[in-house]
Amino acid sequence: MKLRQLLLGTMLMTAAGLSAQDNVITVQTAKPGAPVQPTMYGIFFEDINFAADGGLYAELVKNRSFEFTPDHLLGWQAFGKVEIKNDGPFDKNPHYARLRSTGHGDWWTGLVNEGFFGIGVERDKEYRFSVYARVPEGKTQMLRVQLIEPYTNEEHQEFTSADVKVTSRDWQKYTVVLKSSKTVDKAQLRLFLCDENGRSGSGMMDVEHVSLFPVDTWMGHENGMRKDLAQALADMKPGIFRFPGGCIVEGVTLENRYNWKNSVGPVENRPLNKNRWECTFNYRYYPDYFQSYGLGFYEFFLLSEEIGSEPLPVLNVGMACQFQNNDRAHAPATVEGLQEYIDDCNDLIEFANGSTDTKWGKLRADMGHPKPFNMKFLGIGNEQWGEPYFKRVKIVADAVRKAHPEIKIIGTSGPDAEGHNFEIGWEAMKRQKADLVDEHFYRPISWFQNEWQRYDKYDRKGPKVFAGEYACHDRGKKYNHAGASIYEAAFMTGLERNADIVHMATYAPLFSHVDGWQWRPDMIWYDNLRVACSASYWVQALFAQNKGTNVLPVKNSNFPQKGEDGVLASAVWDKDKQEVIVKVANTCNEQKSVNIVLEGVKKISSASVITLDLSQYDQENTVDNPHLIEPKESKVESISPQGGNAIALNLPAKSFYVYKIKK
Ligand code: AHR
């Protein structure tokens, strides 16, 4: 459907001009209803699909601390004499590499790092290389640092190079900035041990925490994030930021759960953790998917603040992943053992909000943020269900409430969106007086068609709803095609109509590397240098950017029945912009004539429309073609000279619109 067609099919008219078969969407503008929470639409980050290391976290070196197990050189190719030692300067990451050169003949000693699916570098951009190094024998040595293009016919493969002179017997950090002379999406980092004159003389050097970051990261932070990916998040204007998972919070075992305390403090000494998702690839050899925790809780809080979202951390409730362990809740913590989990919660609140003279508040200040992060929400348990959870969440949540009544607690109704476990989950959360309940639904189109009115009938007196993980998965077509996104848009009008009870909603998963995914669809795709925001991203962004301040009641003359396609709408008032915002999704296979009538308005003075054309079922945005599906904004030109309070539309099949109307 072309924009011109749309504009021709749109005109402002008086309500009296409507025909009987039209869909009439009546918006009661004189009755602004419940506030739309600032947290209403947001993002949920989990390290799945190489979302952290290899994704948002801008570190380009894989296994930088030589801690991957069982192969400490995984991601590295060693040549010459390289040995792994384990008495390094960082007690929680004790391994390092010893490079030795005998000085005989043309032997070279060194290491090549493959990066995460290669290392993406751009011509004329700067990259900060750093390493902890020492020369144990006290003989000055040189480390030659090169960016190389491995699959080239060029003799030496390197295109950018710098030397780092290591002079001390003691561990010291050395840094050099490389300016790349080429754009290469799958480069590698090569290190040569050289003598003082740059030759392969005899000598020895120890290297640890070998790191390479783009200088130009999000907000210029040194331990920073990929700018393009963080920018895509900021552009959405998310109101809530849930992290760090997901099943990652739970772990395959409790030892492997996301332990936030390991993710703060100096990055060099954040201990590596196995990624709970490492064994779920269909096609990858593992173990090669770990969490460096370089992107840790401090960085999550900071990002939240920088993109204007409320942080929503989720912590473990003393249970490993029920889903992964077929509901055996793999060796859950005993009731006595829960104190550790209670401490994790209360210490986290101190880390985020506590004064700088407390233990954890001081750490936050030492890391660079003396001001509190003003955390207001805490998720306790990810996607748990059944009595083992109800018993544990009661103990943990009660203790947190006692210490911090100001924090809003979010419980979960488990992985099902209906049925026995879901219902008893909700009942338990009501008994627990949870502030919000986190619901998850990855469901096919037919489910979305059945659930248009899901929240219309929810109990208004219980906890509020957090639609914490959801996506439309069309059976057999699990990728980010336009065909599923229109159902997400239509369903979200139901979230918005019920914003008195739905206070948060986040699509999932968020990120995916094109060379390293295990779950799809996902909201944002990328390779080492490019990013593609999916059609689902644009649906989320349009809701988040146009969430308004208050719900406006909407009457829909042809509200679709369960299981049917139709025209679905919601409306909000934006008191700051003095605009009525109407969102309309046509999920039908044919064009629909629709009249939007603004009850309580005499004359519409001007209107604009954002169009998201989702009519080509199989279309998707890819890193090669990232702009195929994108919203387009235009002015509604054909305002009737007599004025009027209605907009007559011909809405093409499978399309989503956001009308912004000045009264
Ligand atoms: O989003 C992927 C996974 O789906 C999450 O980790 C989990 O909570 C859910 O099962």
Side-chain angles (χ1 to χ4, degrees):
M1 188 265 309
K2 299 285 159 288
L3 193 60
R4 198 175 134 68
Q5 256 175 288
L6 162 84
L7 294 174
L8 290 174
T10 303
M11 70 170 195
L12 301 179
M13 57 183 288
T14 58
L18 308 179
S19 73
Q21 73 276 24
D22 289 338
N23 292 268
V24 182
I25 289 166
T26 310
V27 182
Q28 296 172 333
T29 66
K31 296 184 187 162
V36 179
Q37 298 298 315
T39 55
M40 182 71 183
Y41 306 107
I43 49 178
F44 159 51
F45 179 92
E46 176 170 29
D47 187 4
I48 183 172
N49 307 315
F50 284 84
D53 297 324
L56 182 60
Y57 185 49
E59 173 63 85
L60 296 166
V61 176
K62 175 170 163 179
N63 191 12
R64 64 184 173 190
S65 294
F66 305 99
E67 295 298 333
F68 281 21
T69 50
D71 180 0
H72 289 273
L73 277 173
L74 206 137
W76 294 95
Q77 185 198 328
F79 52 95
K81 292 190 82 177
V82 177
E83 192 187 351
I84 293 295
K85 313 267 294 171
N86 67 357
D87 57 347
F90 308 113
D91 61 325
K92 293 180 187 153
N93 282 323
H95 294 86
Y96 61 94
R98 171 158 292 178
L99 314 180
R100 229 192 271 260
S101 204
T102 55
H104 292 308
D106 289 335
W107 273 48
W108 287 98
T109 285
L111 288 164
V112 179
N113 191 272
E114 67 187 31
F116 299 92
F117 323 105
I119 293 176
V121 289
E122 287 177 274
R123 188 185 163 143
D124 291 336
K125 294 245 168 106
E126 291 183 323
Y127 297 86
R128 185 179 293 108
F129 170 85
S130 67
V131 63
Y132 284 81
R134 67 174 179 184
V135 279
E137 293 165 335
K139 185 172 156 199
T140 296
Q141 296 284 288
M142 199 98 87
L143 192 64
R144 180 148 300 156
V145 182
Q146 298 179 332
L147 293 175
I148 65 166
E149 197 174 0
Y151 309 108
T152 173
N153 290 329
E154 300 289 322
E155 198 186 352
H156 298 298
Q157 302 174 323
E158 96 268 11
F159 53 90
T160 300
S161 182
D163 288 341
V164 175
K165 201 182 246 189
V166 178
T167 50
S168 171
R169 279 178 198 274
D170 299 321
W171 288 104
Q172 279 183 18
K173 186 174 179 179
Y174 297 85
T175 301
V176 64
V177 172
L178 305 165
K179 189 174 197 176
S180 179
S181 63
K182 256 189 177 179
T183 294
V184 179
D185 63 341
K186 287 183 185 295
Q188 295 184 342
L189 176 74
R190 184 162 66 194
L191 310 175
F192 278 114
L193 175 64
C194 309
D195 67 15
E196 227 178 332
N197 305 312
R199 289 192 291 266
S200 65
S202 70
M204 183 198 281
M205 185 189 295
D206 293 338
V207 292
E208 161 66 315
H209 199 87
V210 183
S211 170
L212 184 72
F213 268 90
V215 169
D216 191 18
T217 55
W218 166 255
M219 297 281 169
H221 299 307
E222 277 203 18
N223 183 52
M225 299 184 204
R226 245 178 87 162
K227 200 176 179 178
D228 54 348
L229 299 187
Q231 190 63 55
L233 301 183
D235 290 347
M236 255 187 77
K237 303 212 182 311
I240 190 83
F241 180 21
R242 176 179 182 239
F243 57 86
C247 294
I248 262 224
V249 166
E250 304 163 67
V252 176
T253 63
L254 279 176
E255 292 65 48
N256 164 239
R257 73 185 192 272
Y258 195 110
N259 184 340
W260 76 265
K261 287 175 176 165
N262 286 340
S263 82
V264 292
V267 280
E268 298 83 357
N269 211 17
R270 299 183 192 174
L272 193 81
N273 194 12
K274 260 167 45 148
N275 190 303
R276 171 253 178 268
W277 291 104
E278 70 167 6
C279 52
T280 61
F281 292 99
N282 287 333
Y283 58 92
R284 280 186 80 80
Y285 139 83
Y286 68 91
D288 84 333
Y289 189 10
F290 290 80
Q291 301 173 80
S292 71
Y293 283 145
L295 176 56
F297 265 48
Y298 177 83
E299 290 76 20
F300 285 130
F301 278 118
L302 192 61
L303 181 64
S304 259
E305 184 174 272
E306 289 168 345
I307 62 178
S309 321
E310 293 291 345
L312 163 45
V314 184
L315 294 188
N316 192 297
V317 67
M319 296 172 77
C321 189
Q322 285 174 274
F323 212 91
Q324 172 93 350
N325 294 302
N326 295 327
D327 195 15
R328 277 178 285 113
H330 199 74
T334 58
V335 169
E336 301 73 53
L338 285 177
Q339 190 56 45
E340 184 183 346
Y341 298 84
I342 296 169
D343 292 346
D344 277 356
C345 294
N346 288 335
D347 292 345
L348 179 67
I349 298 166
E350 184 176 295
F351 177 74
N353 297 349
S355 83
T356 54
D357 53 16
T358 60
K359 174 179 169 192
W360 293 102
K362 178 176 181 316
L363 178 60
R364 181 192 71 240
D366 291 348
M367 291 182 76
H369 202 285
K371 277 206 279 181
F373 282 118
N374 198 13
M375 160 185 165
K376 301 184 182 82
F377 303 98
L378 176 66
I380 302 184
N382 167 44
E383 197 184 63
Q384 328 287 161
W385 66 88
E387 284 307 324
Y389 171 56
F390 306 152
K391 189 162 107 189
R392 285 171 178 76
V393 75
K394 176 159 179 32
I395 295 167
V396 178
D398 285 353
V400 174
R401 268 211 197 293
K402 199 163 163 216
H404 290 286
E406 75 283 6
I407 295 291
K408 287 199 163 39
I409 304 266
I410 299 175
T412 161
S413 54
D416 300 328
E418 55 273 302
H420 177 69
N421 281 335
F422 173 79
E423 278 159 27
I424 62 168
W426 257 95
E427 285 314 314
M429 292 309 107
K430 282 183 182 171
R431 284 197 302 277
Q432 185 58 44
K433 296 199 173 20
D435 294 288
L436 291 105
V437 176
D438 177 12
E439 298 189 347
H440 295 178
F441 35 93
Y442 300 99
R443 292 290 191 268
I445 287 175
S446 54
W447 185 91
F448 281 81
Q449 287 171 315
N450 278 321
E451 297 291 317
W452 300 139
Q453 291 181 288
R454 180 178 180 86
Y455 296 109
D456 295 1
K457 299 177 208 83
Y458 264 48
D459 176 5
R460 266 40 204 175
K461 295 196 200 82
K464 307 297 181 214
V465 174
F466 173 25
E469 294 184 28
Y470 68 96
C472 181
H473 285 199
D474 195 7
R475 289 217 169 93
K477 292 243 179 191
K478 281 199 177 184
Y479 63 95
N480 286 90
H481 51 73
S485 308
I486 184 64
Y487 289 91
E488 288 157 5
F491 180 79
M492 288 175 76
T493 62
L495 301 179
E496 191 159 274
R497 279 189 289 104
N498 288 284
D500 62 319
I501 180 155
V502 182
H503 282 192
M504 300 174 182
T506 55
Y507 180 96
L510 178 59
F511 279 130
S512 193
H513 195 296
V514 295
D515 293 329
W517 58 270
Q518 65 242 104
W519 179 302
R520 59 179 189 174
D522 307 292
M523 204 160 89
I524 300 172
W525 288 81
Y526 47 88
D527 63 11
N528 290 344
L529 294 176
R530 300 171 298 173
V531 56
C533 294
S534 67
S536 294
Y537 169 93
W538 288 115
V539 169
Q540 296 294 321
L542 289 179
F543 274 89
Q545 292 159 0
N546 299 287
K547 64 175 172 284
T549 53
N550 294 81
V551 186
L552 292 175
V554 168
K555 276 191 280 172
N556 191 341
S557 66
N558 284 328
F559 198 92
Q561 299 299 303
K562 276 189 169 215
E564 279 183 357
D565 278 325
V567 175
L568 292 115
S570 59
V572 292
W573 169 239
D574 190 319
K575 66 174 174 236
D576 306 320
K577 296 186 189 143
Q578 292 285 297
E579 270 174 1
V580 173
I581 303 172
V582 186
K583 304 187 182 83
V584 192
N586 176 14
T587 68
C588 302
N589 287 321
E590 63 281 347
Q591 174 174 293
K592 289 284 171 190
S593 60
V594 175
N595 290 293
I596 299 176
V597 179
L598 299 195
E599 227 173 63
V601 169
K602 284 206 187 103
K603 180 178 182 293
I604 294 171
S605 63
S606 67
S608 65
V609 59
I610 307 173
T611 306
L612 189 63
D613 177 359
L614 299 167
S615 58
Q616 300 305 308
Y617 183 96
D618 281 320
Q619 268 187 358
E620 61 170 332
N621 290 338
T622 62
V623 289
D624 291 326
N625 195 1
H627 304 296
L628 195 59
I629 305 168
E630 270 185 359
K632 298 194 173 46
E633 181 151 12
S634 58
K635 209 164 178 297
V636 179
E637 299 287 358
S638 49
I639 298 180
S640 150
Q642 295 80 32
N645 73 338
I647 305 176
L649 316 164
N650 282 320
L651 292 189
K654 309 280 184 196
S655 46
F656 177 54
Y657 301 90
V658 180
Y659 283 88
K660 298 195 273 184
I661 306 162
K662 295 276 183 210
K663 284 217 256 184

